[in-house]
Amino acid sequence: MESGLGLGRRTEEMRREWREEATWEGVVGVGLKVKPTVEGREVVGVVRREKRRRRSGGGTGGGKWIPLWWRWYYYVCPVSWSLYGLVGSQYGDVEERLDTGETVEHFVVKYFDFRHDFVGYVALIMLGIVLLFGLIFAFSIKSFNFQKR
């Protein structure tokens, strides 16, 4: 879609994104004016942060976009392994083509670095995390005696 000024497709996409963002911010601002509650502000804050994070290029990238000194947290976090298991098992072997011409499987590997053949290991890691938390809970309940006076 070319504009009359010949600015190009990328500029038009940026304008469209800006218009969508401005419209969304206006609707949210009016909504907060009508009912200004703490809960509403929290929800709006979470959504705003998520939109800004996605717009800035963040996301789940298999740890490639995380600074080197924080990658340990990505590998320890159960949420990252859950996302790996869900995305890898559901979309990791889909051979359908996207609009870009690449397969869904190739896109998942390229963008998220989630491989379908690693899903079995992810399941074992998730089981290990569950057992670890269970053992920590059992040990804590056993060792903390709240009935002492």
Side-chain angles (χ1 to χ4, degrees):
M1 175 173 141
E2 287 285 329
S3 67
L5 300 174
L7 296 175
R9 183 175 177 195
R10 179 69 182 142
T11 306
E12 291 298 324
E13 289 175 4
M14 290 172 59
R15 283 184 177 174
R16 180 185 51 80
E17 289 174 7
W18 184 85
R19 282 192 304 264
E20 289 175 1
E21 184 73 22
T23 304
W24 189 85
E25 291 287 337
V27 169
V28 167
V30 169
L32 284 177
K33 283 287 190 190
V34 172
K35 188 165 176 85
T37 62
V38 174
E39 295 85 6
R41 290 174 194 220
E42 289 176 2
V43 169
V44 169
V46 167
V47 174
R48 277 185 181 164
R49 280 190 298 274
E50 179 65 20
K51 284 183 69 109
R52 287 182 183 141
R53 183 182 63 82
R54 285 187 181 177
R55 188 176 27 172
S56 67
T60 56
K64 289 190 280 188
W65 56 274
I66 302 173
L68 186 61
W69 54 90
W70 276 107
R71 287 192 188 162
W72 65 270
Y73 184 74
Y74 174 79
Y75 294 116
V76 172
C77 182
V79 176
S80 65
W81 290 109
S82 298
L83 287 173
Y84 194 118
L86 289 171
V87 173
S89 66
Q90 296 297 315
Y91 300 110
D93 60 346
V94 177
E95 295 292 332
E96 295 180 19
R97 297 228 175 249
L98 299 171
D99 294 339
T100 59
E102 64 184 341
T103 63
V104 175
E105 177 182 13
H106 183 260
F107 175 78
V108 168
V109 170
K110 182 182 76 169
Y111 188 76
F112 297 110
D113 198 26
F114 293 167
R115 302 185 185 285
H116 183 69
D117 54 352
F118 196 67
V119 172
Y121 297 113
V122 172
L124 289 175
I125 291 169
M126 288 299 298
L127 182 65
I129 289 172
V130 168
L131 290 175
L132 176 69
F133 277 98
L135 288 173
I136 290 172
F137 175 76
F139 177 74
S140 300
I141 292 297
K142 181 183 177 212
S143 63
F144 295 144
N145 188 357
F146 298 106
Q147 299 299 318
K148 286 185 181 177
R149 294 184 188 237

